[in-house]
Structure formats: structure tokens, C-alpha cells
Amino acid sequence: EAGVTQSPTHLIKTRGQQATLRCSPISGHTSVYWYQQALGLGLQFLLWYDEGEERNRGNFPPRFSGRQFPNYSSELNVNALELEDSALYLCASSLGLAGSETQYFGPGTRLLVL
Amino acid sequence: SQQGEEDPQALSIQEGENATMNCSYKTSINNLQWYRQNSGRGLVHLILIRSNEREKHSGRLRVTLDTSKKSSSLLITASRAADTASYFCATPNNDMRFGAGTRLTVKP
């Protein structure tokens, strides 16, 4: 069974540009979560999607947005990139169930903003 | 905001020794989960303990949960160099809140 996949693995952008990150969940999983992990720090919750709807959002500005497609894959968009957006962005999927079950993580996309 | 807080932030031991990491959380929970992250990669789920459980084992891992103290501990017995990683506790609450992690180094 294929795990959670993310693309691209690395992304280099300059300040002010937009970044689009993609995630494909494990087959059968309806929930997708996005996290930001700055270098050497813990995970900061960004967004949770389930069945195509945004279920919860972390403490991030509106320039962080996303969506979930009918096939449950998801995109994270970051507009007007700032230097401090440089981080590892992790996607996870689960069976949903009110966000209380085990999450399975992808390998991440490392975003560098110059 | 973080929900779980791990302690210590960093731990260095010799191969064969046991490693104990602690986690404290703030709100009531249905379950608490521990994850491992190898350097700069995705997280791997280790173990889930439900709020009505006090102890759970999985191989060399032993997790305890004290809901009265809002704390959990992860014990890795007979550690190996391959156990070198960051360990996070996480508590679900309409999302998943992770602590800052404990960085474990196991020296061969």
C-alpha cells in the first residue's frame, strides 16, 4: 500500500512569490493535515481538511491557504512568501474520525525562500 | 499553540541503555500518541495510548499515561544507534497538537 506522497521534495522561491505544495493521502483516508516545521523546531499545525471541507485552521495568516480535491488529495498555497516561511512542510492523512486517530506522514516538502 | 511539551529537550545515551522521555499536556484527551522523526524527514507513528489505558507496550517501547497529572512517558529499552531521532508526543483535539520534541542521540 502506497504511503502519503508529497511533491515537490524541494522548492526554492524568492520573497513575494507564491508556492504550491501537493499531497496525496493513503488510499481510503479522507483527512489531510498540513504542518510547518521550521528548522530544529516542533510541528506547527496549519490546516485540516476532511471530505473536501476545511475543518480546522492553525494560527497562521490568510496567505496560507489550501484545498482538498474530490480524490482527497490536497494543495497548500502560500502567497506573498516571506523569508520566515522557509521550513519543512509536512502533510499527513488519517481516516478522519474527528481528527482523533493515527496520522500517517509524508516525507515533506522543504521550502526555501530567498 | 503547542499542546504537548516534551522533556528533556535533548538526551544523549550509550547504546544498550534505556531512554525515558516525558510529555505533559494541557487539556483533556481521548488518546495520546508518540511519533519519531529521523533527521529532516516525515514522522512515523510509534504508539497510541487511550485515555482509559495506563500502560502500553510495543516491542522495546513502553508508554505510560497519567491522566490525573496530564502526563505521559515513553521508555525505549536497550537502545540502539538506529533509535537516534526526535520523539514527539501528540494529542488530538480537532486536529493534532505536537510538542517541540525530545532529541535522542544514542552513541554506539
Side-chain angles (χ1 to χ4, degrees):
Chain A
E1 177 185 283
V4 177
T5 60
Q6 292 186 245
S7 64
T9 55
H10 293 80
L11 190 57
I12 300 174
K13 295 284 186 178
T14 57
R15 285 179 61 188
Q17 285 189 315
Q18 179 197 37
T20 298
L21 287 63
R22 298 178 176 85
C23 172
S24 291
I26 290 173
S27 177
H29 286 189
T30 61
S31 275
V32 171
Y33 308 80
W34 288 96
Y35 297 89
Q36 181 195 66
Q37 186 179 32
L39 188 64
L41 299 180
L43 278 73
Q44 299 291 328
F45 167 70
L46 267 167
L47 290 159
W48 170 30
Y49 292 97
D50 183 57
E51 297 283 2
E53 302 281 336
E54 182 180 301
R55 301 297 182 179
N56 203 356
R57 181 184 180 85
N59 189 25
F60 280 84
R63 60 190 185 82
F64 287 83
S65 65
R67 54 180 172 166
Q68 185 178 34
F69 299 99
N71 67 354
Y72 302 114
S73 67
S74 178
E75 268 183 6
L76 174 68
N77 295 294
V78 187
N79 295 319
L81 284 165
E82 300 179 1
L83 297 178
E84 52 265 34
D85 297 333
S86 295
L88 179 67
Y89 288 84
L90 292 165
C91 169
S93 74
S94 76
L95 286 169
L97 301 175
S100 64
E101 298 302 315
T102 299
Q103 296 188 2
Y104 296 84
F105 283 79
T109 292
R110 192 165 295 281
L111 172 64
L112 177 62
V113 183
L114 302 175
Chain B
S1 62
Q2 300 291 1
Q3 165 74 313
E5 295 292 338
E6 291 88 350
D7 168 57
Q9 291 186 330
L11 182 61
S12 181
I13 59 175
Q14 294 293 136
E15 219 169 19
E17 293 181 338
N18 295 341
T20 300
M21 289 158 270
N22 302 298
C23 167
S24 60
Y25 57 92
K26 298 173 183 174
T27 64
S28 60
I29 58 172
N30 292 320
N31 67 69
L32 184 143
Q33 302 175 30
W34 284 91
Y35 289 79
R36 184 187 72 223
Q37 183 181 34
N38 290 347
S39 181
R41 306 188 67 177
L43 277 70
V44 174
H45 177 257
L46 293 176
I47 197 165
L48 180 154
I49 186 166
R50 300 198 182 275
S51 59
N52 61 353
E53 297 175 308
R54 291 297 169 258
E55 188 171 312
K56 200 164 185 179
H57 296 255
S58 176
R60 294 183 297 111
L61 305 180
R62 172 178 167 250
V63 168
T64 61
L65 179 65
D66 186 336
T67 53
S68 66
K69 296 180 179 178
K70 292 188 168 55
S71 68
S72 174
S73 67
L74 170 67
L75 169 67
I76 304 175
T77 60
S79 63
R80 306 166 182 169
D83 295 329
T84 294
S86 291
Y87 292 82
F88 297 87
C89 68
T91 52
N93 184 16
N94 288 324
D95 50 55
M96 188 76 82
R97 302 290 170 146
F98 287 82
T102 291
R103 174 69 190 166
L104 173 65
T105 301
V106 181
K107 301 174 187 175

